[in-house]
Amino acid sequence: MTTISLGYLGTALHAGCASAVARVLDAHEVEVDFVDSDESELPGMLEEGAIDLLVSAWLPRDAHLVQYGMRVLGTLYRPFYCWASFETVSSLSGLSAGEIDVAITSRSDQKQMEVLIGQTDALAGVTVEICDEEALYAAVHAARDAGRKALVFLAQPHALFNDEAFRTIDDPNLPGEMEGCMLVRESVAACADQDMLDELSEMTLGNKVMSAMDHAIQVDGMDPEEAAEAWQRGRLVAR
């Protein structure tokens, strides 16, 4: 096998992850064709066979994608949805009414956040700020700079978590960790080099590296390949 179509969702986080995986493929002399997609397009692209290797699916949330002739390969990191803040808040149950000025999230997570707000008395009537995914980092820092106490609903890993002062907040209403896995097409795996598949199945990035790559791309202006190279050379975070 000389070429693999490497699919990923068109965000900085997933682009960085795909570029890191591509470095393994390159080492096995496999040419990589990058294929970006949005979430709504992804099932159709998999069904058409346009993607040989998907980086990455969040299981069990994305388990339905396996039906398109794919199989799970390895676990790169462990994403989870959470509340987080620069404020010192240990849990939602410990919040007092009026303690938080604004709740911020991206458009893709808006409905989920609004349901959770409805379950938390201390957040009743709180101002809600919705922004595009790529604007979330700036929106949170703008609120912080303005002295507004912000609560953020998002998935970890994220560029915001590259700052150790940005911490998750306990909420028993949220599910636990998922697995950020690759999905490889069965027909491609059948003829791929087994050593390459073994190396991919053992590859681990972790949430800390993923957040750092997201920050390098979103905030520092690196392109995904530069961020992946920085990780591989140990210049991004301790591996």
Side-chain angles (χ1 to χ4, degrees):
M1 173 167 295
T2 58
T3 305
I4 281 182
S5 297
L6 184 60
Y8 64 96
L9 293 178
T11 67
L13 183 81
H14 289 281
C17 189
S19 290
V21 169
R23 300 187 77 79
V24 174
L25 302 179
D26 289 341
H28 287 270
E29 299 182 346
V30 173
E31 184 177 342
V32 176
D33 287 338
F34 289 100
V35 181
D36 67 331
S37 169
D38 66 32
E39 193 170 355
S40 63
E41 296 172 334
L42 192 54
M45 296 181 74
L46 289 172
E47 188 171 25
E48 293 166 5
I51 293 172
D52 298 324
L53 181 66
L54 176 65
V55 181
S56 54
W58 291 5
L59 302 179
R61 186 196 70 178
D62 298 331
H64 62 285
L65 298 176
V66 176
Q67 68 181 304
Y68 301 108
M70 312 298 287
R71 79 155 111 122
V72 178
L73 182 66
T75 300
L76 295 167
Y77 56 102
R78 297 185 179 278
F80 58 94
Y81 284 99
C82 61
W83 290 101
S85 182
F86 284 111
E87 306 302 322
T88 304
V89 181
S90 59
S91 68
L92 285 192
S93 61
L95 279 178
S96 302
E99 186 175 347
I100 296 297
D101 298 320
V102 59
I104 306 174
T105 195
S106 64
R107 297 189 194 286
S108 60
D109 297 328
Q110 177 179 357
K111 290 182 179 179
Q112 191 175 355
M113 186 188 77
E114 289 174 346
V115 169
L116 292 167
I117 286 177
Q119 298 171 346
T120 307
D121 291 342
L123 294 178
V126 70
T127 298
V128 172
E129 185 174 331
I130 310 299
C131 58
D132 293 333
E133 173 64 37
E134 59 270 20
L136 184 61
Y137 183 94
V140 173
H141 277 273
R144 187 187 190 192
D145 293 344
R148 303 169 76 199
K149 295 181 178 180
L151 196 61
V152 188
F153 182 73
L154 76 172
Q156 151 78 301
H158 189 278
L160 284 160
F161 289 102
N162 198 51
D163 187 332
E164 293 184 355
F166 189 71
R167 299 186 180 94
T168 60
I169 298 166
D170 180 59
D171 182 358
N173 292 311
L174 287 171
E177 289 182 340
M178 296 174 280
E179 294 186 356
C181 301
M182 290 166 280
L183 298 184
V184 61
R185 188 163 298 283
E186 290 279 9
S187 58
V188 170
C191 59
D193 179 76
Q194 188 59 49
D195 287 342
M196 181 185 74
L197 293 178
D198 289 345
E199 186 172 349
L200 288 173
S201 68
E202 295 168 1
M203 182 178 180
T204 302
L205 294 170
N207 289 3
K208 185 175 181 181
V209 165
M210 289 292 294
S211 293
M213 280 203 294
D214 194 31
H215 188 278
I217 297 166
Q218 279 204 62
V219 183
D220 297 335
M222 288 188 188
D223 67 37
E225 291 186 10
E226 289 175 324
E229 181 180 5
W231 159 73
Q232 193 174 48
R233 294 183 180 277
R235 298 198 304 261
L236 202 60
V237 292
R239 293 170 60 184

